[in-house]
């Protein structure tokens, strides 16, 4: 193999010691924009040249192209190594021309693919789970089983994510040894590195300020400081009700969500518009009624959603079928492990503006709190039952929230940064 030399300055200094980290389980977690994804993408590319086969995983397959796939290709071209790889979009694989080792991609939503995926040469040596808090405990256990077969390289499972809350299974499983004051911990088989935006010297001043000026305490703890979140009282603080001006939704796409209910619980629907660039969710209207039969609900939805797709609570497949037969374009929400928390977290990263007429939604937004245990600690679970429109809101925005990273900061445009000597 030809010798490839990369200047130290090309990788953020905090990650340099981990380019050749061989611990079995490796955790890279911390605040937003701390350079985790770029570092791991760079490392995966370099590892492939040493003969390692990596499977890159996220919870939802379709989110991979816009994230890890792109980051790895960018890392390869920054390092000027494009000539050493074959990139196949059709096979969704990046192969080293030089030794046949591969980088493969799969979503946890594609169980069959995950079970059958094998590199064309040798064993799978590495799995990198990006945004690993989206995945469930069982998912990771199943994935670990894929790391088998003879190889000269020690097998590794690498997880990267923003810390969400201390009751998450990742905290419970891996963070027994963790000390909040530290940025690194290790055992014989595991390493944990915590980083924040301060460790990323490639960020622009604007990006830094956006994180430093974060006001929401939970958001600040998790995304600015990279700490495991301890959710405070109210879940949503960045919301308001107002008479909506057209400029807030003009040209936007309307999304609809529905939570079924009948006697005790109301059936609840929302009409929303999401402005990703401004990180804003605008709720234009609500439907909130008790004692409504499915036939009447379908009539009401025709007027409310005007033929648009309505994402519904998937716990009621029969009602969804009935809505469909009554002419509503009803689809089940996909949900998934931790989907409530993921949806809440994603919404917390947005300003929510509800039209004045959404009276019930405003009540729910104001009353929504984290449940507490006997000692008064917040649990990562909303309390109470007054969350029908909020559920509908999460369903309506499911595609949006599963598509984006929880916290999008403007990324600086960087040019060539690696010279191959
Ligand atoms: N080694 C690097 N060289 C050049 N630019 C970098 C490097 N590392 C990070 N960056 C820049 O910093 C931005 C943020 O880095 P990255 O996406 O890796 O952060 P992250 O820790 O994964 O953030 P998040 O928690 O939001 O996913 C990148 O989009 C990129 O522009
Ligand atoms: Mg990232």
């Amino acid at each position: 193999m030809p010798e490839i030399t990369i200047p130290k300055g090309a990788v953020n200094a905090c990650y340099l010691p981990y380019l050749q980290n061989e611990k079995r389980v490796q955790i890279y977690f911390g605040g937003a924009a701390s350079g985790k994804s770029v570092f791991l993408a760079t490392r995966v590319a370099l590892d492939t040249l040493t003969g390692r086969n990596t499977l890159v995983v996220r919870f939802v397959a379709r989110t991979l192209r816009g994230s890890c796939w792109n980051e790895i290709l960018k890392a390869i071209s920054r390092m000027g190594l494009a000539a050493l790889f074959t990139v196949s979009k059709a096979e969704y694989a990046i192969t080293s021309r030089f030794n046949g080792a591969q980088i493969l991609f799969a979503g946890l939503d594609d169980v069959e693919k995950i079970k059958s995926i094998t590199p064309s040469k040798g064993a799978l040596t590495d799995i990198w789970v990006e945004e690993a808090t989206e995945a469930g405990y069982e998912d990771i256990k199943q994935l670990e089983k894929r790391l088998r077969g003879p190889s000269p390289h020690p097998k590794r499972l690498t997880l990267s994510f923003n810390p969400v809350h201390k009751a998450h299974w990742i905290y419970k499983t891996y963070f027994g040894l963790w000390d909040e004051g530290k940025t690194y911990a290790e055992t014989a088989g595991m390493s944990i590195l915590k980083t924040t935006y301060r460790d990323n010297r490639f960020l622009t001043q604007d990006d830094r300020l956006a994180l430093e000026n974060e006001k929401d305490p939970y958001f600040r703890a998790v995304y600015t400081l990279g700490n495991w979140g301890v959710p405070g009282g109210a879940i949503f603080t960045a919301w308001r009700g107002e008479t909506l001006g057209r400029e807030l939704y003009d040209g936007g796409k309307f999304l609809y969500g529905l939570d079924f209910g009948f006697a005790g619980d109301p059936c609840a629907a929302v009409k929303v518009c999401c402005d990703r660039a401004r990180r804003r969710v605008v709720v234009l209207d609500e439907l909130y009624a008790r004692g409504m039969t499915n036939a009447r609900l379908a009539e009401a939805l025709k007027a409310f959603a005007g033929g648009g797709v309505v994402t519904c609570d998937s716990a009621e497949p029969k009602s969804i079928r009935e809505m469909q037969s009554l002419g509503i374009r009803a689809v089940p929400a996909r949900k998934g492990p931790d989907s409530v928390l993921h949806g809440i977290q994603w919404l917390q990263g947005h300003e929510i503006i509800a039209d004045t007429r959404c009276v019930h939604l405003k009540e729910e937004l104001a009353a929504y709190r984290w449940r507490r245990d006997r000692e008064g600690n917040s649990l990562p679970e909303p309390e109470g039952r007054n969350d029908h429109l909020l559920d509908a809101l999460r369903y309506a925005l499911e595609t949006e929230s599963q598509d984006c990273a929880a916290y999008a900061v403007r990324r600086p445009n960087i040019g060539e940064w690696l010279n191959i000597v």
Side-chain angles (χ1 to χ4, degrees):
M1 167 168 178
E3 192 155 302
I4 298 170
T5 310
I6 296 162
K8 272 191 188 167
V11 175
N12 275 307
C14 63
Y15 297 107
L16 275 176
Y18 308 102
L19 269 172
Q20 283 164 331
N21 187 1
E22 298 212 319
K23 298 275 185 199
R24 166 83 187 188
V25 176
Q26 302 187 18
I27 291 180
Y28 298 92
F29 86 106
S34 68
K36 303 179 290 295
S37 302
V38 172
F39 163 65
L40 290 171
T42 307
R43 190 177 83 167
V44 167
L46 292 170
D47 285 345
T48 313
L49 296 176
T50 69
R52 283 184 171 275
N53 285 309
T54 304
L55 173 63
V56 183
V57 176
R58 278 192 65 165
F59 182 57
V60 181
R62 94 195 120 69
T63 57
L64 276 163
R65 285 236 193 247
S67 56
C68 306
W69 168 267
N70 281 342
E71 286 303 347
I72 293 172
L73 291 181
K74 277 198 267 174
I76 289 173
S77 77
R78 278 186 205 126
M79 292 189 279
L81 299 178
L84 295 181
F85 292 92
T86 312
V87 177
S88 166
K89 274 196 185 168
E91 285 167 37
Y92 212 175
I94 301 171
T95 309
S96 154
R97 286 185 193 220
F98 162 75
N99 56 20
Q102 287 189 306
I103 309 171
L104 305 168
F105 299 80
L108 286 169
D109 53 348
D110 197 347
V111 181
E112 289 313 307
K113 184 169 178 187
I114 293 257
K115 272 195 206 147
S116 61
I117 212 160
T118 25
S120 53
K121 231 180 109 182
L124 199 61
T125 60
D126 281 81
I127 297 178
W128 168 25
V129 189
E130 167 76 319
E131 310 298 356
T133 46
E134 295 171 352
Y137 174 80
E138 281 305 320
D139 295 325
I140 302 293
K141 290 289 142 205
Q142 287 302 326
L143 274 177
E144 271 196 288
K145 293 191 186 143
R146 306 284 311 132
L147 288 173
R148 55 169 185 242
S151 166
H153 300 282
K155 309 274 176 14
R156 305 184 297 189
L157 171 70
T158 299
L159 311 179
S160 55
F161 53 88
N162 302 117
V164 278
H165 51 80
K166 284 190 170 166
H168 194 281
W169 71 264
I170 290 193
Y171 186 84
K172 291 183 178 161
T173 311
Y174 299 112
F175 280 69
L177 76 170
W178 188 246
D179 172 348
E180 289 292 355
K182 294 259 163 61
T183 55
Y184 182 73
E186 67 173 26
T187 60
M190 182 172 78
S191 70
I192 302 182
L193 179 71
K194 169 180 159 181
T195 52
T196 70
Y197 71 100
R198 292 195 196 95
D199 295 302
N200 181 2
R201 65 186 183 80
F202 297 92
L203 278 189
T204 63
Q205 185 63 6
D206 278 359
D207 294 328
R208 280 170 207 283
L209 286 176
L211 285 159
E212 273 161 14
N213 293 335
E214 181 58 62
K215 296 281 179 295
D216 183 276
Y218 172 79
F219 223 50
R220 188 174 168 78
V222 173
Y223 296 103
T224 308
L225 305 174
N227 294 330
W228 284 94
V230 181
I235 296 180
F236 294 123
T237 45
W239 68 272
R240 63 178 193 273
E242 66 181 41
T243 308
L244 298 181
R246 286 195 75 84
E247 73 287 353
L248 285 173
Y249 55 84
D250 243 0
K253 185 177 160 210
F254 297 135
L255 303 165
Y256 303 89
L258 170 69
D259 192 29
F260 291 104
F262 184 64
D265 290 340
C267 63
V270 290
K271 172 179 180 177
V272 293
C273 182
C274 173
D275 186 339
R276 279 196 189 191
R278 294 193 177 77
R279 295 207 288 138
R280 181 195 285 155
V281 166
V282 178
V283 188
L284 291 96
D285 205 356
E286 69 175 19
L287 190 157
Y288 192 86
R290 284 197 170 81
M292 217 183 219
T293 60
N294 278 350
R296 276 187 48 219
L297 175 60
E299 278 313 304
L301 280 176
K302 274 181 197 158
F304 188 77
V309 172
V310 183
T311 310
C312 309
D313 184 356
S314 54
E316 295 211 26
K318 204 166 140 222
S319 298
I320 295 179
R321 289 292 286 278
E322 211 174 333
M323 287 298 128
Q324 289 167 342
S325 69
L326 291 165
I328 303 300
R329 290 169 69 199
V331 295
R334 265 179 312 209
K335 300 195 178 172
D338 269 343
S339 68
V340 175
L341 278 167
H342 178 69
I344 290 177
Q345 249 185 296
W346 183 86
L347 273 166
Q348 283 177 324
H350 290 70
E351 181 188 21
I352 304 172
I353 309 176
D355 187 82
T356 354
R357 65 184 153 168
C358 300
V359 282
H360 297 98
L361 177 68
K362 285 188 288 171
E363 276 173 25
E364 290 190 13
L365 281 165
Y368 211 36
R369 301 237 173 287
W370 297 111
R371 195 183 293 283
R372 289 182 186 274
D373 66 14
R374 288 215 198 122
E375 280 85 43
N377 302 311
S378 293
L379 299 171
E381 180 188 334
E383 65 168 28
R385 322 227 84 248
N386 192 19
D387 51 13
H388 315 290
L389 287 158
L390 291 172
D391 282 348
L393 186 61
R394 282 189 297 102
Y395 302 147
L397 292 163
E398 195 181 64
T399 336
E400 300 286 315
S401 63
Q402 291 183 354
D403 262 344
C404 318
Y407 192 95
V409 289
R410 199 171 57 77
R411 308 295 195 206
N413 201 1
I414 40 143
E416 291 285 310
W417 55 274
L418 279 183
N419 296 314
I420 304 306
V421 185

